[in-house]
Amino acid sequence: LLHGFSDNETGWIQFGEVQHIVDMAISKGEIPPMIIVMPDGKVSWYINDAEGKNRYEDMIFEEFIPFIDKTYRTRATKEFRAVSGLSMGGYGSLIWSLHHPEMFSACAAFSAGIFTDEEMRNMPVERYNTLYAKIYGENKPENRITEHWKNNSVLELMNTLPKEHVEKVRYYIDCGDDDFLYQGNSTLHIIMRNRNIPHEFRIKDGTHNWTYWRSNLTEGLMFIGKFFHR
């Protein structure tokens, strides 16, 4: 369960009240018992950076997940592993699912940090340099759509990867109607509909805040739990 930009591994506990929400859902039989792991993603966007100096994504799959499976009472197979997150973490959950579909049965992305190519090109230089330059490379607006960007663009991958590759993971996508990330999330839904890729898409009343995520976490975990059930 991945946190958002500028937050850390305590965000979902302190502000998201995840332990209370999940315990209640388990006690009501709404979701199966599950181990929830919350790594500190810093501001990595959960991927390897353009220069290969901060290989965060490699660390997760080569070291972190194997450590969790070795240390805790997990069922260490795709069928019983899922990924979820909000904002930057929603992006992370989607990009991990697209890069590593052999690892996850389901993905629930809340208010995912998805941007169209046009949004990236038109982003003010100061904002781009603050949020994305260290990840995607310091480029002028006309040169931002690099191979590294394409390889880590949820929209590009969802539109170009083989359909059978994408369909190895089941997707739940949720975004508030007043969220500033509405364009990328809506575009993702359109791409998936046009390609007939199974997914659930929710637009609900709300914006980009913890009130929205607390209110909708259970429904995303219920979606995930369906694929754990035997």
Side-chain angles (χ1 to χ4, degrees):
L1 182 61
L2 309 181
H3 65 76
F5 188 86
S6 78
D7 215 332
N8 60 33
E9 74 281 4
T10 68
W12 270 109
I13 296 172
Q14 183 176 5
F15 305 112
E17 301 174 11
V18 63
Q19 187 165 346
H20 171 72
I21 291 169
V22 171
D23 284 348
M24 288 291 292
I26 292 173
S27 68
K28 292 178 182 179
E30 295 175 334
I31 64 174
M34 56 179 68
I35 296 170
I36 296 183
V37 181
M38 291 162 281
D40 182 1
K42 304 184 188 300
V43 290
S44 66
W45 287 85
Y46 299 100
I47 61 173
N48 299 338
D49 69 351
E51 295 183 2
K53 292 181 178 179
N54 181 20
R55 294 168 48 223
Y56 188 92
E57 185 175 352
D58 288 350
M59 180 276 293
I60 288 292
F61 290 91
E62 295 172 10
E63 301 177 35
F64 187 76
I65 292 177
F67 173 81
I68 295 299
D69 286 335
K70 181 180 178 181
T71 307
Y72 297 95
R73 190 168 58 90
T74 66
R75 301 191 69 172
T77 62
K78 166 189 171 77
E79 290 76 16
F80 299 103
R81 187 187 296 113
V83 62
S84 181
L86 68 88
S87 196
M88 181 183 80
Y91 164 83
S93 67
L94 289 164
I95 206 70
W96 286 1
S97 299
L98 291 164
H99 284 172
H100 309 275
E102 75 286 354
M103 295 295 289
F104 305 106
S105 61
C107 168
F110 299 96
S111 311
I114 305 169
F115 297 95
T116 65
D117 290 358
E118 182 180 9
E119 286 180 297
M120 292 303 285
R121 289 193 189 97
N122 294 337
M123 188 175 295
V125 172
E126 183 177 352
R127 178 174 172 80
Y128 179 86
N129 287 339
T130 299
L131 299 180
Y132 304 108
K134 290 184 179 179
I135 306 301
Y136 298 113
E138 295 188 19
N139 300 299
K140 296 180 180 179
E142 63 271 19
N143 297 324
R144 287 177 186 166
I145 309 306
T146 63
E147 282 304 306
H148 185 71
W149 163 255
K150 291 180 181 179
N151 290 336
N152 292 284
S153 164
V154 170
L155 300 179
E156 175 75 15
L157 295 176
M158 193 64 77
N159 201 33
T160 59
L161 285 172
K163 191 167 181 283
E164 59 271 20
H165 174 100
V166 178
E167 290 180 342
K168 291 178 180 178
V169 179
R170 297 299 185 182
Y171 291 94
Y172 177 93
I173 301 155
D174 183 323
C175 188
D177 58 352
D178 292 320
D179 197 306
F180 72 96
L181 293 168
Y182 75 94
Q183 185 169 342
N185 283 267
S186 300
T187 302
L188 177 61
H189 169 58
I190 292 169
I191 290 171
M192 296 179 81
R193 277 293 305 270
N194 287 345
R195 297 191 70 189
N196 293 316
I197 294 169
H199 67 290
E200 296 293 328
F201 180 63
R202 300 286 183 271
I203 288 285
K204 303 171 190 170
D205 182 38
T207 186
H208 200 82
N209 61 23
W210 281 107
T211 300
Y212 186 85
W213 302 318
R214 282 193 298 266
S215 301
N216 294 291
L217 177 61
T218 299
E219 190 171 340
L221 294 181
M222 288 171 66
F223 176 84
I224 285 172
K226 290 189 301 184
F227 300 99
F228 291 170
H229 187 73
R230 293 295 183 271

